[in-house]
Amino acid sequence: MQRLLKLKKVLKASDLSSLAENFRAIKASVAKLRNLTAEEVTTLEKNGNRCEDWNRVLVEPNFDPARVQRSVFMGDVRLPAFYGTLLLPGDVSFPTGIYDSLVHNCIVENALVYKVSMLSNVLVRSSAVVHNVGTLVSSGKINFMIGSTMSVGNEMGGRELFVFPDITMDLVEAQLFHKAESDVQQSFEEQLKNFREEISLPFGVVGKGAVVSNTNIVRNSWIGAHARVEGAAKIRNTIILSSLEESTHIYDSVIIENSDLQMGVKVHTGAEVQRSVLMSRSKVGCKAIVKSSIVAPCCHIEEGEVNSSYMGPLTQMHHHSLLIAALWPDGCGNLGYGANVGSNHTGRMPDQEIMPGQGMFFGLGVNVKFPANYRESPFTLIASGVTTMPQRVKFPFSLIRSGDPQLMGVPARLNEILPAWNYARNAYALDRNIYKYAQRGKGAVPNSYFSLYGAETVHYAFDAYCRLQVNQVQDVYTKEHIDGLGENFLRERVRQKALKTYGEYLERYVLDQMIALVENDASLALQPPRELRRLLSGDLNREVSRVVPMPATFDELVKRYRTLEKEWFDGVAHGLDKDIARGKEIFDDYESAHPIDKNFAEWEKNRFEESVKRLSAVLKNLG
């Protein structure tokens, strides 16, 4: 039932309902329209215009025939009282009106239609510009992908979901990972069917203030208000949501077919989008290809290919790389140049898939064999050039690197895993990513995506910490000894370091939760921390607190937390200093040519100072 309520809420809030209602009101409004006068027809024909039947052209009072020149009209056409000017691309001011165009069965408001080979069955809203376009036409009823099905992950089916222009991450994940009862599923489909019937139009739309320029083909599409389409090759069966505050931009040889684009999307420079949904503020460019996929908010895809995937928010692909059959709901990841995350074909059928973890980084030239499940390994890094076997890995913050074929008793195919390495050795990268996520995702992605201490990540880290406890110590471990290692081996010295790091990660989390308790009720500080931890909410928090060493007093607890915060801050600074030191050994002018990211440095400094102020305030309140 929860998903039905979410769907109802999303559909009710959709701009499409009001836009469709406006279209029907405009089409039905004929009271203020009139036929052309004989004098107006004479002027129109003198200006090089032709029409098979001028009686089917209706105009508003104060219609100025001088604003219509060298054009052909067919079928039922409605024209406004053109006035004012609009800007063509290049900021060239031009009077509104219709010039050098063929117009068939259209409603044109106070807009500019200039050099359009065919404009057919389209509503052109006020202040829109349609300039130098081949064909902008519509035929039959257009449903804009509402209620269409899409398979992500397994290309052979099994994870079908219903899509529509305003779909949210919640509704995607509910359909992918939580199969509904038959009656709920039927109601879900029925709601979408009714919405499709409500929205379906026999016309295409160019919204208020939109620009469609230097474009070859636009067919059966809805161009939202203030969208800009410049130099596109083809747009077909597509809806482009847009607004003045978050305009959507499509430009330079782009092909978009059978797709839905949400607010603030950018598709550019030869990119191709087929049968996909691009959520708000996502970017696809530089000949990238997106097919049969859902791309969550604030993702950037350039030069790569995404196929049959759900790419979670804030994921980046800036180079030639491949992502096929991926279920990546938590996103925040990155694919380096040449990353081949697409071995879903076993030689029989393309029926395998991958589930990366949040914040996962696939290094240069990696080859990832399917099936693979890394969801329980958030913020994990696969080093450059590594080939991974089909596997399930359950260790957050890990580094997976090439193995040692000379290692006795370990199969040569196994890579080496270093659990918790990213947290222990790569604090700079982790915190800088959190900073970037917060900047890019502001207003579009929930804040829960910007934390290393999300509930799931803490759960996975605690689980990993428990599984690293062994009854028999040995030099090397595999999945036969420790569950969750996948097709990787683990050295004993690495296990010891991982236990220490996971312990400190969990300690930092629990102490933060306990300090928050005292912030809400200062009297709790009088209790010994061992007693105070029992007040933590949730089974997970209480379980984790049992493995965390507790100071004798709350004052000591605060001091210990401050120490952990300072160590993390120093770790971030050390990561940057290490990069600078290495760079200076290689380039004489490294420092001058590689300025520090001052915005991030300031953000990190402020974060630490706010933490110190918080702790000082807590101790001060205790007297």
Side-chain angles (χ1 to χ4, degrees):
M1 290 300 293
Q2 193 68 25
R3 77 177 63 190
L4 295 179
L5 292 174
K6 288 182 179 180
L7 177 62
K8 184 177 181 180
K9 182 178 179 181
V10 170
L11 296 182
K12 185 176 180 179
S14 174
D15 290 336
L16 296 178
S17 296
S18 58
L19 293 173
E21 190 175 324
N22 287 342
F23 167 78
R24 294 186 177 94
I26 291 168
K27 200 168 189 302
S29 177
V30 295
K32 66 177 182 178
L33 299 174
R34 61 174 177 81
N35 290 105
L36 292 162
T37 65
E39 184 180 353
E40 287 170 335
V41 170
T42 300
T43 302
L44 285 167
E45 291 182 342
K46 184 179 178 181
N47 289 339
N49 300 292
R50 296 291 179 267
C51 181
E52 57 185 12
D53 184 358
W54 286 113
N55 289 322
R56 297 180 68 180
V57 178
L58 300 180
V59 298
E60 291 182 356
N62 301 319
F63 169 73
D64 181 2
R67 296 273 187 141
V68 181
Q69 299 184 15
R70 301 176 302 280
S71 296
V72 176
F73 297 90
M74 303 169 63
D76 297 316
V77 177
R78 298 184 190 179
L79 303 179
F82 291 113
Y83 61 89
T85 61
L86 290 170
L87 293 178
L88 291 168
D91 293 337
V92 177
S93 180
F94 206 90
T96 60
I98 299 177
Y99 310 89
D100 303 292
S101 299
L102 189 155
V103 180
H104 169 258
N105 281 349
C106 288
I107 301 173
V108 181
E109 296 182 347
N110 186 39
L112 172 58
V113 177
Y114 181 29
K115 289 189 176 180
V116 179
S117 297
M118 178 175 284
L119 185 72
S120 176
N121 293 317
V122 175
L123 167 63
V124 182
R125 300 301 309 273
S126 61
S127 301
V129 173
V130 184
H131 160 248
N132 197 27
V133 172
T135 58
L136 201 167
V137 302
S138 296
S139 57
K141 275 198 170 184
I142 312 166
N143 62 37
F144 307 115
M145 287 276 287
I146 297 170
S148 299
T149 58
M150 181 187 300
S151 289
V152 298
N154 182 359
E155 289 187 80
M156 301 304 295
R159 294 192 190 273
E160 291 86 3
L161 72 160
F162 290 89
V163 299
F164 57 97
D166 298 283
I167 195 167
T168 63
M169 291 189 289
D170 281 350
L171 287 171
V172 171
E173 292 171 32
Q175 293 185 77
L176 286 178
F177 306 119
H178 307 284
K179 295 301 181 183
E181 298 292 334
S182 59
D183 59 332
V184 173
Q185 185 64 23
Q186 185 176 349
S187 296
F188 192 92
E189 295 176 29
E190 191 68 26
Q191 279 195 50
L192 284 174
K193 180 182 177 182
N194 293 338
F195 186 68
R196 181 172 63 243
E197 290 300 316
E198 176 189 342
I199 299 303
S200 294
L201 299 176
F203 265 48
V205 177
V206 180
K208 290 183 178 182
V211 174
V212 182
S213 177
N214 300 317
T215 292
N216 189 21
I217 299 170
V218 180
R219 186 178 185 88
N220 292 350
S221 295
W222 188 324
I223 311 299
H226 304 283
R228 295 189 70 90
V229 179
E230 299 184 44
K234 178 168 57 175
I235 298 175
R236 185 170 66 88
N237 299 336
T238 290
I239 186 162
I240 299 172
L241 299 178
S242 183
S243 68
L244 179 61
E245 295 77 18
E246 288 196 272
S247 63
T248 296
H249 289 209
I250 314 296
Y251 55 93
D252 294 349
S253 305
V254 162
I255 295 174
I256 305 176
E257 296 185 285
N258 304 307
S259 296
D260 293 331
L261 278 60
Q262 295 183 2
M263 302 280 188
V265 165
K266 287 182 172 55
V267 185
H268 64 92
T269 321
E272 182 177 343
V273 180
Q274 303 274 3
R275 195 170 173 74
S276 296
V277 177
L278 304 185
M279 293 190 184
S280 60
R281 298 194 209 165
S282 54
K283 296 180 182 179
V284 180
C286 300
K287 299 183 180 180
I289 298 172
V290 179
K291 292 184 177 181
S292 301
S293 295
I294 297 178
V295 178
C298 305
C299 289
H300 293 181
I301 304 169
E302 293 183 354
E303 298 183 331
E305 178 181 347
V306 179
N307 199 327
S308 301
S309 295
Y310 173 41
M311 175 185 273
L314 296 157
T315 300
Q316 315 289 307
M317 294 173 67
H318 289 304
H319 306 282
H320 292 286
S321 53
L322 176 65
L323 185 70
I324 289 182
L327 301 168
W328 202 344
D330 300 318
C332 300
N334 204 311
L335 285 84
Y337 180 89
N340 173 23
V341 187
S343 182
N344 69 324
H345 203 300
T346 60
R348 298 179 294 276
M349 292 188 298
D351 60 350
Q352 301 302 309
E353 56 195 6
I354 183 173
M355 188 177 289
Q358 182 180 20
M360 195 164 181
F361 187 97
F362 295 92
L364 302 174
V366 304
N367 290 289
V368 180
K369 296 187 178 181
F370 291 10
N373 187 344
Y374 298 92
R375 188 164 191 184
E376 296 151 294
S377 300
F379 303 103
T380 282
L381 188 157
I382 300 181
S384 299
V386 170
T387 295
T388 62
M389 303 300 290
Q391 60 181 337
R392 181 172 188 167
V393 181
K394 300 192 286 186
F395 288 95
F397 302 105
S398 291
L399 168 67
I400 297 177
R401 64 187 183 188
S402 296
D404 182 356
Q406 306 301 319
L407 197 61
M408 294 292 293
V410 175
R413 72 176 188 278
L414 298 188
N415 294 310
E416 182 176 8
I417 186 170
L418 286 71
W421 180 91
N422 226 7
Y423 189 85
R425 303 288 299 278
N426 210 13
Y428 174 76
L430 288 174
D431 250 23
R432 189 167 183 275
N433 282 338
I434 297 301
Y435 162 74
K436 290 190 297 183
Y437 300 156
Q439 302 304 309
R440 295 174 183 171
K442 189 177 295 183
V445 180
N447 291 337
S448 58
Y449 283 88
F450 311 144
S451 174
L452 299 178
Y453 289 92
E456 285 193 345
T457 303
V458 172
H459 169 72
Y460 297 146
F462 175 62
D463 183 55
Y465 176 84
C466 294
R467 282 183 285 104
L468 284 175
Q469 313 292 333
V470 295
N471 294 323
Q472 184 176 348
V473 174
Q474 51 193 71
D475 291 337
V476 178
Y477 305 88
T478 63
K479 65 182 180 182
E480 284 73 26
H481 311 109
I482 299 176
D483 179 44
L485 289 179
E487 297 299 312
N488 308 283
F489 67 84
L490 171 68
R491 300 177 193 267
E492 167 59 16
R493 67 174 183 273
V494 174
R495 185 186 73 87
Q496 293 287 350
K497 291 178 181 178
L499 276 171
K500 180 177 182 295
T501 301
Y502 282 137
E504 291 180 350
Y505 169 86
L506 296 171
E507 184 181 11
R508 189 177 171 205
Y509 169 76
V510 167
L511 298 188
D512 176 75
Q513 297 293 306
M514 295 174 70
I515 290 169
L517 286 176
V518 174
E519 285 178 309
N520 292 326
D521 183 354
S523 67
L524 296 178
L526 300 175
Q527 297 188 30
R530 290 178 182 275
E531 298 297 323
L532 180 60
R533 68 182 176 186
R534 296 180 181 179
L535 300 178
L536 291 171
S537 61
D539 293 339
L540 174 63
N541 288 345
R542 287 191 288 272
E543 283 187 47
V544 174
S545 70
R546 294 190 188 104
V547 304
V548 171
M550 285 292 147
T553 67
F554 184 77
D555 186 69
E556 290 177 2
L557 182 150
V558 171
K559 290 178 180 177
R560 173 57 181 161
Y561 182 73
R562 181 184 290 169
T563 299
L564 291 171
E565 284 286 280
K566 182 65 166 61
E567 288 176 353
W568 180 260
F569 177 74
D570 290 343
V572 173
H574 175 69
L576 177 59
D577 292 343
K578 187 171 63 174
D579 288 347
I580 293 173
R582 181 181 58 193
K584 288 168 66 175
E585 290 178 0
I586 299 171
F587 295 104
D588 294 334
D589 62 348
Y590 184 87
E591 283 189 287
S592 61
H594 297 79
I596 294 172
D597 184 345
K598 293 182 179 178
N599 290 333
F600 166 66
E602 187 68 21
W603 178 87
E604 179 64 21
K605 179 184 175 184
N606 290 339
R607 186 201 64 77
F608 177 66
E609 289 178 350
E610 286 299 318
S611 178
V612 172
K613 288 179 183 177
R614 175 198 179 198
L615 298 179
S616 298
V618 169
L619 292 177
K620 184 178 180 181
N621 289 338
L622 298 178

